[in-house]
């Protein structure tokens, strides 16, 4: 399958190194079956573990290069490269499982776990070597010192927890006071809003009453003006039949004509 893949020279180089490591791992595990000495088996497992780490690193480099070049490759090529990567990961995992099986068989606890990465077992090996060089009294003193340090750490943790509880209590009290204050403010705002509504209704009512009173006064004023106008017209032109007499008001007496008629009779 690798020969049919369309890879750049850098990918071909990484892929070739990974395949070389897989062949070395296969040969190494075959030799491991023939080794009877446990120390030699442990050394062989350590060597194979190092090759597995290198293979894991190269697979990551292979994946990174595939992602960097994925935009310029066709979709089918990217799929083939990803399938090849998955195949290499599965093959590496099979060797990892085989290594764990040999570790359980040999019973060597000093080898680091592959999944934890390089250098994870170095502090533990240093501690084992240091403890083996100490006497019983020194071990007891070291243990007591560690217990004292643990107790001090626990006390500090208790103090931190106590301080945190106090701060939480104070914060809760402050929030409660602020909540009560906000409640009072909301009640006052509701009262103000209700007062504003009542005032608006009162202003509207007063406006309606004033408008009604003005209309009534205007109507009465027009009536009075009309009556006065009719009276004036009847006085100025009493013979005008187009204007009716106002009920309750006597028609004006034609005094000038009456005097004129009587004077004429006297001269006759």
């Amino acid at each position: 399958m690798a020969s049919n893949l369309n890879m750049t020279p850098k990918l071909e180089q990484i892929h070739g190194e990974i395949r070389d490591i897989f062949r070395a791992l296969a040969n190494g595990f075959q030799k491991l079956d023939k080794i009877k000495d446990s120390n030699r088996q442990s050394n062989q497992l350590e060597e194979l573990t190092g090759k597995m780490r290198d293979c894991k690193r190269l697979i990551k480099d292979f994946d990174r290069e595939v992602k960097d070049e994925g935009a310029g490759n066709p979709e089918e090529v990217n799929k083939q490269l990803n399938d090849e990567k998955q195949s290499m990961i599965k093959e590496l995992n099979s060797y990892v499982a085989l290594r764990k099986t040999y570790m359980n068989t040999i019973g060597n606890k000093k080898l680091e776990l592959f999944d934890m990465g390089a250098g994870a077992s170095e502090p533990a090996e240093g501690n084992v070597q240091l403890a083996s060089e100490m006497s019983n009294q020194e071990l007891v003193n070291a243990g007591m010192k560690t217990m004292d340090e643990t107790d001090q750490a626990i006390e500090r943790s208790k103090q931190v927890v106590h301080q945190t509880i106090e701060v939480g209590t104070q914060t809760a009290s402050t929030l409660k006071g602020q909540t009560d204050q906000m409640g009072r403010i909301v009640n006052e705002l509701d009262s103000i809003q209700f007062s504003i509504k009542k005032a608006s209704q009162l202003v509207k009512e007063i406006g309606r009453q004033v408008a009604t009173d003005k209309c009534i006064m205007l109507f009465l004023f027009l009536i009075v003006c009309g009556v006065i106008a009719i009276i004036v017209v009847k006085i100025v032109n009493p013979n005008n039949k187009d204007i009716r007499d106002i009920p309750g008001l006597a028609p004006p007496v034609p005094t000038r004509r009456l005097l004129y008629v009587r004077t004429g009779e006297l001269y006759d």
Side-chain angles (χ1 to χ4, degrees):
M1 179 179 179
S3 60
N4 296 329
L5 293 176
N6 185 12
M7 295 186 292
T8 61
K10 189 172 183 179
L11 277 177
E12 289 181 356
Q13 180 182 358
I14 297 173
H15 187 267
E17 292 178 359
I18 293 173
R19 286 302 170 187
D20 291 339
I21 292 176
F22 283 154
R23 284 191 290 270
L25 289 173
N27 295 329
F29 280 107
Q30 289 178 0
K31 292 179 181 180
L32 191 61
D33 292 333
K34 300 177 182 179
I35 298 174
K36 303 301 181 181
D37 184 57
S38 60
N39 292 328
R40 290 180 60 190
Q41 287 180 342
S42 299
N43 294 332
Q44 182 70 11
L45 278 177
E46 289 178 358
E47 183 179 353
L48 294 175
T49 301
K51 291 184 181 297
M52 292 179 194
R53 293 195 195 96
D54 294 337
C55 185
K56 183 178 180 181
R57 175 180 55 80
L58 289 172
I59 290 175
K60 289 183 178 179
D61 294 339
F62 184 87
D63 181 55
R64 183 165 52 253
E65 290 295 328
V66 170
K67 290 180 179 178
D68 292 341
E69 299 175 2
N73 293 332
E75 184 178 357
E76 183 65 24
V77 174
N78 290 330
K79 184 177 182 301
Q80 291 178 357
L81 293 175
N82 288 324
D83 292 341
E84 178 66 16
K85 181 193 69 174
Q86 295 296 330
S87 175
M88 291 187 295
I89 291 174
K90 290 181 181 179
E91 189 172 354
L92 178 61
N93 289 334
S94 64
Y95 286 120
V96 172
L98 186 60
R99 180 190 64 87
K100 291 181 179 180
T101 302
Y102 278 102
M103 285 177 60
N104 294 330
T105 303
I106 297 172
N108 191 342
K109 302 302 181 180
K110 292 187 294 182
L111 288 176
E112 61 179 339
L113 293 176
F114 178 76
D115 295 335
M116 295 176 61
S121 64
E122 293 177 1
E125 292 176 356
N127 292 333
V128 172
Q129 184 178 3
L130 180 60
S132 63
E133 296 175 356
M134 295 171 62
S135 63
N136 292 334
Q137 186 62 35
E138 289 175 345
L139 289 172
V140 172
N141 293 334
M144 294 296 295
K145 182 179 179 181
T146 304
M147 292 175 64
D148 293 337
E149 291 175 354
T150 304
D151 292 336
Q152 292 175 2
I154 292 173
E155 290 296 329
R156 288 194 297 269
S157 300
K158 288 182 179 179
Q159 292 178 1
V160 171
V161 171
H162 182 67
Q163 293 175 358
T164 304
I165 292 173
E166 290 180 353
V167 172
T169 303
Q170 294 176 359
T171 304
S173 301
T174 304
L175 290 175
K176 186 177 183 301
Q178 292 178 354
T179 303
D180 295 338
Q181 185 177 3
M182 289 297 295
R184 290 192 296 269
I185 292 173
V186 170
N187 293 333
E188 292 176 359
L189 290 175
D190 291 338
S191 301
I192 293 172
Q193 185 178 5
F194 179 77
S195 301
I196 292 174
K197 288 182 179 179
K198 293 292 291 183
S200 300
Q201 293 177 358
L202 181 60
V203 169
K204 291 180 181 178
E205 187 66 25
I206 293 173
R208 285 195 295 268
Q209 292 179 359
V210 170
T212 303
D213 294 338
K214 286 183 178 179
C215 291
I216 294 173
M217 293 296 294
L218 180 61
F219 183 73
L220 292 176
F221 178 76
L222 292 176
I223 292 174
V224 172
C225 290
V227 172
I228 292 174
I230 293 172
I231 293 173
V232 170
V233 170
K234 292 294 287 184
I235 292 175
V236 173
N237 191 6
N239 296 324
N240 191 353
K241 300 300 182 179
D242 296 332
I243 302 174
R244 298 180 180 180
D245 294 335
I246 299 174
L249 183 64
V253 180
T255 55
R256 293 182 180 179
R257 184 178 179 183
L258 182 60
L259 290 174
Y260 177 78
V261 172
R262 288 181 179 180
T263 303
E265 290 177 355
L266 289 175
Y267 283 110
D268 292 339

